[in-house]
Amino acid sequence: MTERSILVAGEMLVDFIPATAGPLGEVESFDRRAGGAPANVAVALERLDERPWLCTNLSTDGFGDFLAATLEAEGVPDRFVTRSAHPTALAFVSHDRNGDRSFTFFREDTADMHIRTGGVDETALADAEWLVVGGVSLTDDPSRSAVIDLAERARDAGCRIVFDPNTRPDLWSEDSTRTLERMLSLTDVLKATPADFEPTNVPVDGETFGRRLLETGPDTVLVTRGAAGARAVAGPDAPWGAGEWSHGGYELDAVVDATGAGDAFLAGALSALVDGSGPEETLAFANAVAAVSTTESGAMAAVPNREAVEEFRTRQRG
């Protein structure tokens, strides 16, 4: 995979973003946007000049054509993108007055549940340095087994595994605990919030949350806290060495749409990790990418490029 050392695996779907804030039943119109957390991360990485691959499955329906065209326009290659006759998953977003959002999914035997990873062969994995896995792809088979198999093969090939659980209990066909435990055992860098583990038996108290997750497999845990910023907790096997660091985030005049802010954060953090940044710079850069992404509507559409992020950080320094 020449010049592309990051492989992102997981769902791509269509988000419908409301024209106005308020309960879903009161919204009269929506904007169609490309979405899905792993696809958001892949596009964000491309905009940050990190050149990722995306492994996903798209429908052959009209929405699938729209998603494929989006990837092409963003410069994300389709080498590991498959197509099937299953319908495209749809997510309707609703916002409260503070920009916080909730999702209503239409997802039954959809294309994203049929991700195939066999096309990512051992030669491809030997060239990759990072594999990023999104948790929604683990909710059902056959994608669950395919993505875990990919993670196992990537780990054997020497890739660093990055995992974002993005746990949505209403999407799981069974209890998520065993699957998450299996994925965590393969993970090197975990990006998470306490809400991701509320459906499981992992304690979610704020002060010890990150340290407890180190015991499940990862050597580095990035804990996002929304407007309050983020923390990094690393064990002795982490490239940074053992320690804890935090960044309080950035002041914003207004939040337009927080959809995809966590995905933007993960892309920013991974970009910094690939560039060899230390923990403080990793958190600062990731928080800046996330902050800028909330100033426009739509998860993928709002992701900034590297120039916009640096301009934002310069303004913040005053």
Side-chain angles (χ1 to χ4, degrees):
M1 295 191 297
T2 306
E3 298 182 357
R4 292 181 182 269
S5 63
I6 306 170
L7 174 64
V8 185
E11 77 281 358
M12 189 175 192
L13 48 79
V14 173
D15 288 332
F16 284 91
I17 306 298
T20 58
L24 197 63
E26 297 179 6
V27 178
E28 295 186 356
S29 62
F30 298 83
D31 288 330
R32 180 195 63 176
R33 302 291 177 87
N40 292 339
V41 171
V43 168
L45 286 167
E46 187 71 33
R47 293 187 185 176
L48 294 171
D49 303 322
E50 297 297 345
R51 311 286 291 163
W53 295 94
L54 175 64
C55 179
T56 193
N57 184 57
L58 303 180
S59 176
T60 54
D61 64 17
F63 287 132
D65 292 342
F66 161 66
L67 296 177
T70 299
L71 291 178
E72 181 178 8
E74 293 290 347
V76 178
D78 63 359
R79 177 178 174 182
F80 303 121
V81 177
T82 57
R83 304 288 296 267
S84 71
H86 305 89
T88 299
L90 309 178
F92 286 81
V93 185
S94 56
H95 294 137
D96 65 19
R97 305 303 174 185
N98 296 319
D100 292 328
R101 72 275 187 268
S102 59
F103 296 84
T104 300
F105 290 93
F106 291 83
R107 183 176 180 265
E108 183 174 350
D109 199 31
T110 48
D112 66 294
M113 299 164 69
H114 291 267
I115 294 172
R116 290 166 277 174
T117 61
V120 186
D121 60 19
E122 305 314 309
T123 301
L125 289 176
D127 290 335
E129 297 177 8
W130 299 83
L131 171 67
V132 184
V133 172
V136 170
S137 62
L138 305 179
T139 60
D140 288 275
D141 273 322
S143 65
R144 176 195 295 133
S145 296
V147 171
I148 288 180
D149 173 73
L150 176 62
E152 291 173 342
R153 291 189 290 115
R155 185 69 178 267
D156 291 342
C159 295
R160 292 273 287 169
I161 311 298
V162 181
F163 180 44
D164 178 6
N166 196 23
T167 307
R168 302 189 184 283
D170 53 325
L171 296 183
W172 283 80
S173 62
E174 59 184 49
D175 179 55
S176 63
T177 300
R178 290 183 62 184
T179 299
L180 290 178
E181 287 175 346
R182 178 61 184 140
M183 189 63 220
L184 287 169
S185 73
L186 300 169
T187 297
D188 297 295
V189 179
L190 173 70
K191 174 259 177 188
T193 69
D196 287 325
F197 290 90
E198 287 176 355
T200 74
N201 57 10
V202 176
V204 296
D205 51 297
E207 291 303 314
T208 64
F209 173 66
R211 292 193 294 274
R212 286 180 180 271
L213 284 171
L214 289 177
E215 301 170 5
T216 66
D219 59 47
T220 304
V221 179
L222 305 175
V223 183
T224 56
R225 302 183 294 182
R231 295 174 58 233
V233 183
D237 295 331
W240 294 331
E244 298 189 26
W245 305 266
S246 63
H247 183 275
Y250 296 94
E251 293 291 331
L252 294 172
D253 294 332
V255 172
V256 175
D257 183 7
T259 305
D263 307 331
F265 174 92
L266 180 56
L270 183 55
S271 177
L273 290 169
V274 169
D275 293 345
S277 298
E280 294 92 348
E281 172 60 15
T282 295
L283 291 175
F285 185 76
N287 277 334
V289 178
V292 177
S293 77
T294 68
T295 60
E296 295 184 26
S297 178
M300 190 178 293
V303 172
N305 59 24
R306 187 174 291 273
E307 181 181 3
V309 175
E310 295 303 339
E311 288 177 355
F312 171 80
R313 295 183 72 185
T314 297
R315 292 195 302 271
Q316 289 286 319
R317 295 186 193 105

